[in-house]
Amino acid sequence: MKLSIYRFNPETGEPPRMQDYDVAPAAGDKKLLDLLMRLRTADDSLSFRRSCREGICGSDAMNINGRNGLACLTALEGLKEPVVLRPLPGFPVIRDLIVDMTQFFAHYHSIKPWLIAEEPPPERERVQTPDERERLNGLYECILCACCSAFCPSYWWNPDKFIGPAGLLQAYRFIADSRDVATAERLDFLDDVYRLYRCRTIMNCTEVCPKGLSPSHAIERIRIALLKRSS
Amino acid sequence: MRLFSGQRAWLVQRVSALLILLLLLVGGVLLLFGPALDHARWHALATGVHVAPLIVLFFAALSAHAWVGMRDIVLDYIQPRALRLAVLSAIAVVLFAVMVRVLLTLAAHFATSL
Ligand code: SF4
Ligand code: SF4
Ligand code: FES
C-alpha cells in the first residue's frame, strides 16, 4: 500500500516535506493505525500519537486524504492510494503528525468543563430523571480528538479567540446538565462575537466528527438558550 | 447590552434577512401584476405612500444585513487593528451614504409633490 506522509523534524532545521512509503499490510491489519505501527517498525523516526487504538483516547487524529479522522477507526479497505497523511490542519506542528494541542485544551478549560453545584453532595448521588439524563446524550461522548476544531474554517482564522466546535460542544454539555447551577454565568461567558459567534454554521465539525457527534447542533442550542434568556 | 455581545449582531442578521426576503416577495408580487413596467409605473410605485416606507425599510434592512456580514468577514480575515478600523469605517460610510441617498431621493419627491 502506498502512503505519502508529512515529515517535519524541528531538530534538523529542514523545511517540512512529504515522504513516500510503500508497505504491505499483514493479514491482521484492518485499520490505518495498524499500518502506521507496521511502518514504524521499518522507520522508527516516524512520529505520531496513539494509545487506545479503538477510538476512545482521541490521540491519533490526523488529516487522512484531506479529511480529519482517527487512524484507528479508519479502515484500510477502500482508502484511496497513495494515502496522504498530514497533521491536523491549523494546529502548530511539533513533529511529523504530532501537533501542539495547548491552545485547544486552553479553550476547553475556559468553558469550565466540570459540574458546578453549590449544594453539598448528597449521600449517594445527584439524581436526574431519565429525561434529564437523556439530554446529555450526544454531548458527553466527545473524546476531545480535535478533528472537528481542526476542520473548522472559523477556528483556522481565529484559533486564539474562537472556542471552536469541540469546546462549545462541551460548554453545551454543562449548560444542558440539570444538576449544574451556573447556566447564567456560562451563557454570559459565551455571548461574545469571538467565543461563540465566530461560528458561521459551516457544519464541517458535524460532518467530520469520528464519533458521530454534532457540535453545530450544540452551538445552535446555545444560541437558542441565549435568545430565550434575553426575550 | 455588552459591547461585544455577539448575540445582538446575530439577531440583527437573521431578522434583517427575513425582512429582506419578505419585502422582495412583496415587491415581486407588485411588479408581476398590473400594467406594463415602464418608467411611469416604476415612478408611481416607488413614490406611492404605501410603498415608499417599505423602500426605506428595505434599504435599512439591507444596510444592517450588509454591515453584520461585512464586519464578520473583516473580523475573520483582517487582523491588523489599524487596517481593520479603516476597512470597517469605509464600509460604514458606504452603507450610510446609500441610506442617505434613498432618504434624500424620496424626501425630494414628497417635498415637491406637497
Ligand atoms: S466533537 Fe467529535 S471531532 Fe470534536 S473533539 Fe469531540 S469527538 Fe472529536
Ligand atoms: S458549524 Fe461552526 S463550529 Fe462547526 S465547523 Fe462550522 S463554523 Fe466551525
Ligand atoms: S488511538 Fe485512541 S482514539 Fe485512536
Side-chain angles (χ1 to χ4, degrees), chain A residues 154 157-158 161 187-189 191-195 197-198 200-201 220 223-224 226-228 230, chain B residues 1-11 13-14 68 71-77 79 84:
Chain A
S154 289
W157 308 149
N158 288 292
K161 303 190 206 92
L187 289 177
D188 277 342
F189 177 73
D191 184 6
D192 176 277
V193 257
Y194 281 108
R195 287 187 197 123
Y197 287 95
R198 271 315 78 195
R200 310 251 68 84
T201 323
E220 213 51 47
R223 286 185 179 133
I224 291 172
L226 274 161
L227 204 58
K228 279 198 182 136
S230 61
Chain B
M1 274 277 194
R2 291 166 40 197
L3 187 58
F4 278 100
S5 151
Q7 197 201 9
R8 189 177 18 177
W10 183 80
L11 249 185
Q13 195 174 38
R14 265 127 197 98
V68 176
R71 192 197 64 155
D72 268 337
I73 296 173
V74 170
L75 288 187
D76 275 350
Y77 295 101
Q79 304 293 345
R84 188 183 262 195

Side-chain angles (χ1 to χ4, degrees), chain A residues 93-123:
Chain A
V93 177
I94 294 176
R95 185 185 178 120
D96 297 345
L97 299 175
I98 298 178
V99 294
D100 184 349
M101 309 271 284
T102 311
Q103 192 154 58
F104 176 82
F105 281 111
H107 282 307
Y108 173 59
H109 288 295
S110 79
I111 60 101
K112 301 201 172 138
W114 56 81
L115 192 76
I116 300 178
E118 269 143 23
E119 288 179 15
E123 213 160 291

Side-chain angles (χ1 to χ4, degrees), chain B residues 32-101:
Chain B
L32 269 182
F33 300 101
L37 271 175
D38 51 12
H39 175 261
R41 171 104 201 278
W42 276 106
H43 188 260
L45 262 182
T47 54
V49 270
H50 299 298
V51 181
L54 292 185
I55 291 180
V56 174
L57 188 63
F58 177 77
F59 278 97
L62 196 68
S63 301
H65 195 78
W67 168 250
V68 176
M70 299 302 283
R71 192 197 64 155
D72 268 337
I73 296 173
V74 170
L75 288 187
D76 275 350
Y77 295 101
I78 304 182
Q79 304 293 345
R81 266 170 174 267
L83 185 64
R84 188 183 262 195
L85 205 67
V87 175
L88 280 178
S89 322
I91 295 169
V93 166
V94 169
L95 292 177
F96 189 71
V98 168
M99 240 3 258
V100 169
R101 176 91 206 266

Side-chain angles (χ1 to χ4, degrees), chain A residues 61 68-69 88-89 91 104 142 144-153 155-156 164-169 203-210 213-216:
Chain A
N68 295 348
L88 285 180
F91 282 54
F104 176 82
C142 170
L144 293 170
C145 64
C147 281
C148 54
S149 293
F151 216 44
C152 168
Y155 193 73
W156 292 337
L168 290 170
L169 182 90
M203 288 185 47
N204 268 11
C205 50
T206 298
E207 209 270 321
V208 85
C209 173
L213 309 178
S214 178
S216 62

